[in-house]
Amino acid sequence: MIAVRSPILALAAAVVAIAPAAAQPMLADPVATAVLSPDAALAQDATEVARIRGISPEQALADLHAEEATTGLTEWIEGRYRDRLAGIAIDRTSGFRIVVRLTGDKPVADAAVRVGDATVPVEFRTGAGATRVAMLAAITQHQATIRAMVRRPPAMGVDQRHGALVVLIGAVDARGDVAALRRRIAALTGVPVRIATSDQPDIDLIDEVAGGGRVVGTHPVDGRRYACTTGFVVAAGIRTGIVTAAHCPDALSYIDGDRRATPLDFVGQWGWGFHDVQVNASAQPLRPVFYSDTARTVLRPVTGQRSRASTRAGDMVCHRGERTGYSCAEVELVDFAPGGDLCGGACLPTWVTVAGPGCKGGDSGGPVFMGTTAIGILKGGSYRADESCAFYYYMSLDYLPDGWTLLRERTG
């Protein structure tokens, strides 16, 4: 994890395209007429992944196919070695490989799995100091005590790449004896500990409307208008709505490219522990499509959903933010508890972090995806000293509120 400077930011995400059954999506800007096929959507993401990784689009596409095809394999590995498992991660340093960290010294033979036309190596590394289950239990049991050790409540997570509990402290605490703090936490928890630093406590931020805001609302306390972005279309029976972050204003209006406002009725918000989600409903039925490109000229249908259990460190995901547009990056932690009291108190280690630089205040609530597979909605992020985004984190769609499910495009 990178040492970071600025607070964890709540990000307001790309405004989802919302549509009735007709071909022209309701609430979408008039210029947005193209709807990508699943293959075309994944190819678009592969092009972006190729750009940021410096590989060919063909290799990037093959890697993305391998990611999807090996989720079942890593779930099987997790079940098979649950008593020894410290972490599973995707290693891209020399091609695409799966690295499994296990406790104990008993060796497990490496393997190779055929995926389409490619062979994916699976490497087992033994000698880890604690299992993932033990590290998660350490956060749950000792979070309050660890928070009391420092001036600012730290973020925490399980680093599955290195098999360690990572604690993200503020710069004020970092000026103290960090080595001694690490030893104290390790002695308390009984698991390997790694310390990373940031300058500010974790906070949620949303942007004030500036020119072309897409989803806007007025804060009931300060009376100021703020912009957020919506994520995906959800359904409860025959009723449809859109999700965004719970820390956004309750009453929202969708603002299209011609600055026409369409009110969206507030249904409810869930913002504690493992939740940061709000549902706003439309008077008309909505189609499960969303914007992916920065300019909001292309729509994607939602055809699938990826769970947190199927997400690994090193996987590639993409997101679109109203402030930052479209970007893709690697997953870092899949068991992350943001610092501060962003979740109605301390957060649970159920959030997923993704490497920067694609985040900025104003992206909160927006879609995290790969191809036409929906993955999560953005909550927050953190800046480096040079003001660039170090990482953002999202809520998995596993945690949509009770009664609401992700709406998918019918195929076939």
Side-chain angles (χ1 to χ4, degrees):
M1 182 88 66
I2 286 173
V4 292
R5 170 183 177 274
S6 186
I8 296 267
L9 302 176
L11 308 167
V15 179
V16 75
I18 308 166
Q24 178 62 32
M26 184 191 74
L27 303 186
D29 291 344
V31 294
T33 57
V35 179
L36 294 181
S37 68
D39 287 346
L42 192 63
Q44 184 181 73
D45 293 342
T47 299
E48 176 63 9
V49 169
R51 184 188 68 81
I52 62 177
R53 292 190 54 219
I55 59 177
S56 70
E58 293 77 16
Q59 183 59 55
L61 184 59
D63 287 354
L64 294 182
H65 281 302
E67 284 185 16
E68 182 63 28
T70 56
T71 57
L73 170 65
T74 51
E75 288 178 7
W76 180 86
I77 292 173
E78 182 174 1
R80 173 65 177 80
Y81 297 99
R82 184 174 300 277
D83 292 343
R84 299 182 60 189
L85 185 68
I88 299 176
I90 304 302
D91 183 359
R92 302 176 186 277
T93 56
S94 56
F96 182 95
R97 76 173 55 232
I98 298 169
V99 176
V100 183
R101 288 189 172 273
L102 301 174
T103 60
D105 298 326
K106 183 179 180 180
V108 176
D110 294 342
V113 178
R114 193 71 177 170
V115 178
D117 296 329
T119 299
V120 176
V122 181
E123 180 180 327
F124 290 88
R125 300 177 184 176
T126 59
T131 65
R132 177 190 179 196
V133 171
M135 288 182 278
L136 286 171
I139 296 175
T140 301
Q141 295 170 15
H142 302 294
Q143 188 175 36
T145 303
I146 295 171
R147 284 161 63 98
M149 291 180 181
V150 293
R151 297 187 186 184
R152 292 172 173 166
M156 301 177 218
V158 175
D159 181 355
Q160 294 197 47
R161 281 191 173 100
H162 299 94
L165 169 65
V166 61
V167 180
L168 183 65
I169 62 174
V172 172
D173 296 298
R175 288 195 285 270
D177 191 337
V178 175
L181 175 64
R182 187 194 64 77
R183 289 192 296 269
R184 287 177 63 198
I185 296 174
L188 172 70
T189 61
V191 302
V193 174
R194 192 164 64 86
I195 303 290
T197 62
S198 65
D199 279 353
Q200 301 286 342
D202 301 347
I203 61 174
D204 281 330
L205 297 178
I206 53 179
D207 253 17
E208 294 183 63
V209 175
R214 300 305 184 195
V215 179
V216 300
T218 301
H219 194 282
V221 177
D222 62 23
R224 297 163 71 181
R225 297 184 76 211
Y226 293 89
C228 274
T229 328
T230 53
F232 299 104
V233 175
V234 293
I238 63 172
R239 192 181 191 191
T240 57
I242 52 175
V243 290
T244 188
H247 57 266
C248 295
D250 294 352
L252 293 173
S253 293
Y254 179 86
I255 309 300
D256 68 16
D258 294 327
R259 299 193 177 185
R260 293 172 299 193
T262 301
L264 301 171
D265 295 334
F266 175 71
V267 174
Q269 61 181 212
W270 299 258
W272 55 88
F274 54 91
H275 276 137
D276 191 348
V277 59
Q278 174 174 312
V279 177
N280 288 75
S282 169
Q284 301 180 45
L286 308 181
R287 181 184 171 194
V289 291
F290 64 98
Y291 287 110
S292 59
D293 63 318
T294 298
R296 295 204 311 156
T297 60
V298 177
L299 297 166
R300 297 188 187 191
V302 173
T303 61
Q305 177 178 344
R306 182 184 300 173
S307 68
R308 180 169 155 254
S310 295
T311 303
R312 304 150 303 190
D315 278 343
M316 299 297 302
V317 298
C318 303
H319 89 90
R320 186 195 180 279
E322 192 60 35
R323 284 289 304 277
T324 59
Y326 165 77
S327 64
C328 304
E330 280 192 22
V331 170
E332 292 184 326
L333 305 176
V334 296
D335 306 296
F336 179 69
D341 295 311
L342 299 184
C343 304
C347 295
L348 298 177
T350 57
W351 307 84
V352 180
T353 70
V354 180
C359 70
K360 199 168 186 179
D363 286 351
S364 277
V368 178
F369 54 90
M370 176 51 66
T372 56
T373 298
I375 299 174
I377 59 173
L378 276 159
K379 175 177 172 63
S382 187
Y383 286 143
R384 298 185 181 91
D386 63 0
E387 305 298 332
S388 64
C389 168
F391 66 90
Y392 67 83
Y393 60 95
Y394 68 83
M395 184 198 82
S396 169
L397 296 178
D398 296 339
Y399 307 121
L400 288 175
D402 290 344
W404 292 90
T405 59
L406 179 72
L407 194 62
R408 306 185 193 190
E409 188 88 309
R410 293 181 180 179
T411 58

